[in-house]
Amino acid sequence: MIMKKSALILFLAALIFSGCTRKDNQIIEQNPTPEVAVAKERKCAAYEVLQQQLLADPTLAVRMARIEKLTNDVSKSQSLYRLLPDGTVEIPVTVNVLYKGATQNISDAQIQSQIAALNADYNQLYSVPPIFDSLRASVGIHFALKSVVRKSTTKSSWSPNDAMKKSASGGIDATAPDSVLNIWVVGAMTGGVIGYAQFPGGAAATDGVVIAYDCFGTIGTATAPFNVGRTATHEIGHWLNLRHIWGDATCGDDLVADTPLHNAANFGCPAYPHLSTCTGTPVEMTMNYMDYTDDACMAMFTKGQKARMLTTFLPGGGRYNFAH
């Protein structure tokens, strides 16, 4: 299996802003029946959101480049690596619920189910194919629900333009975003978007992640194939500076050394082994949380991804206040 080399690309950090979309595609059977099944897929719709942020804040690329340099320095220096948190980081979480109608006003139990799913995904080791077994990582980050803020709205859908994060535009202002992870749960987003995140280095007022109410948690309104809580696991990975595993390009670099080259995003539950046609034809790590496979088919972060996430808690890493 050919692994990617970690590279310092100073402005790459400003070129990726996360957004996941759901698309309904018809599956036509060889022997059609009167009913046609519908499959839901995640897809990325990041570029437009990125452009909005860069236009609003021209210094964003510079800030993210500094964080990327720190991350690259840590990967090269054992002395810096020893400064990384030792698994004791606890992230306070505020969940901001924007709902239209009682169904979208998700229960406290559903919110707690998402916190439990995050703590499992970031700390447990699940079964993976033997080729990836030695690469699995327990990240050692824990999440604790701090508060829930609820607000009724007449909006039937939200655009992925951060309006839900501002009371002036009908949303909910962030709670202490320099030390609290804010998650906005909304009824729907335009274009089928189910979630997106802000990387370290972005504006404090809009920091956090956004997730659709039917892709949040593991009970209640959570709907398959996004009902195991892994939309939040994925988006918080971005919030902690992870890139998509395919590097947002054909055979692209996600800046992590121990993840294999992927042709592109994977959907559904690919059969193992799923071979890439990139250099070396490596087996793709389709069960990685930073791919776009279904919730039930995600199972791991790598040790390299763990180091990248923990670097954000160092001075200058963008999440320092969460660990101190």
Side-chain angles (χ1 to χ4, degrees):
M1 178 176 60
I2 303 300
M3 299 297 178
K4 295 186 295 297
K5 294 181 179 178
S6 182
L8 172 60
I9 305 175
L10 291 182
F11 290 97
L12 180 62
L15 295 179
I16 308 169
F17 186 84
S18 165
C20 302
T21 67
R22 176 177 56 223
K23 177 177 143 183
D24 291 349
N25 291 328
Q26 289 187 335
I27 300 177
I28 307 300
E29 301 175 347
Q30 285 184 327
N31 298 308
T33 62
E35 291 186 339
V36 178
V38 176
K40 297 177 181 178
E41 293 182 345
R42 286 189 238 251
K43 287 192 176 180
C44 185
Y47 191 73
E48 295 77 9
V49 176
L50 169 64
Q51 295 308 303
Q52 292 171 8
Q53 287 204 323
L54 291 176
L55 287 173
D57 183 3
T59 66
L60 175 60
V62 176
R63 293 197 300 274
M64 294 185 79
R66 289 171 181 163
I67 294 170
E68 195 59 43
K69 183 180 186 303
L70 171 66
T71 304
N72 190 68
D73 290 344
V74 167
S75 72
K76 294 178 178 179
S77 171
Q78 290 299 314
S79 59
L80 276 175
Y81 192 87
R82 287 195 292 270
L83 297 175
L84 295 178
D86 60 2
T88 61
V89 177
E90 183 173 275
I91 305 293
V93 179
T94 290
V95 177
N96 304 292
V97 182
L98 286 157
Y99 62 94
K100 182 181 181 182
T103 300
Q104 296 179 4
N105 190 15
I106 60 173
S107 68
D108 289 345
Q110 184 170 344
I111 292 171
Q112 289 288 0
S113 77
Q114 179 63 78
I115 300 299
L118 288 170
N119 283 322
D121 288 349
Y122 278 80
N123 294 284
Q124 292 184 12
L125 295 179
Y126 300 118
S127 176
V128 298
I131 192 174
F132 299 131
D133 190 70
S134 66
L135 301 177
R136 296 176 303 164
S138 172
V139 180
I141 297 173
H142 301 270
F143 301 85
L145 183 64
K146 174 184 174 65
S147 61
V148 178
V149 182
R150 299 177 184 275
K151 184 176 182 179
S152 177
T153 178
T154 59
K155 285 180 174 284
S156 58
S157 66
W158 298 81
S159 296
N161 60 3
D162 290 339
M164 69 287 290
K165 304 176 182 179
K166 305 168 187 175
S167 59
S169 54
I172 299 173
D173 292 334
T175 297
D178 60 337
S179 58
V180 175
L181 167 58
N182 279 259
I183 300 176
W184 285 265
V185 180
V186 298
M189 282 179 275
T190 56
V193 173
I194 66 170
Y196 70 97
Q198 180 167 297
F199 284 96
T206 55
D207 196 38
V209 307
V210 183
I211 299 172
Y213 81 110
D214 57 350
C215 304
F216 186 81
T218 63
I219 62 174
T221 61
T223 304
F226 308 122
N227 61 338
V228 189
R230 282 164 180 163
T231 300
T233 299
H234 176 101
E235 298 304 342
I236 291 171
H238 286 309
W239 184 78
L240 291 170
N241 208 29
L242 294 186
R243 304 296 183 254
H244 293 136
I245 196 167
W246 67 97
D248 291 277
T250 302
C251 300
D253 187 358
D254 64 351
L255 305 180
V256 177
D258 61 0
T259 55
L261 288 167
H262 279 225
N263 290 97
N266 289 294
F267 303 100
C269 292
Y272 179 85
H274 187 271
L275 295 179
S276 167
T277 62
C278 305
T279 302
T281 60
V283 177
E284 294 192 347
M285 193 181 283
T286 62
M287 69 295 303
N288 192 282
Y289 293 126
M290 302 315 294
D291 206 338
Y292 276 116
T293 48
D294 291 349
D295 275 17
C297 301
M298 292 180 163
M300 68 179 291
F301 288 117
T302 69
K303 292 175 181 177
Q305 288 174 319
K306 171 182 178 176
R308 187 172 177 85
M309 287 189 277
L310 293 184
T311 299
T312 66
F313 299 111
L314 295 179
R319 305 293 179 211
Y320 178 77
N321 288 342
F322 287 83
H324 299 85

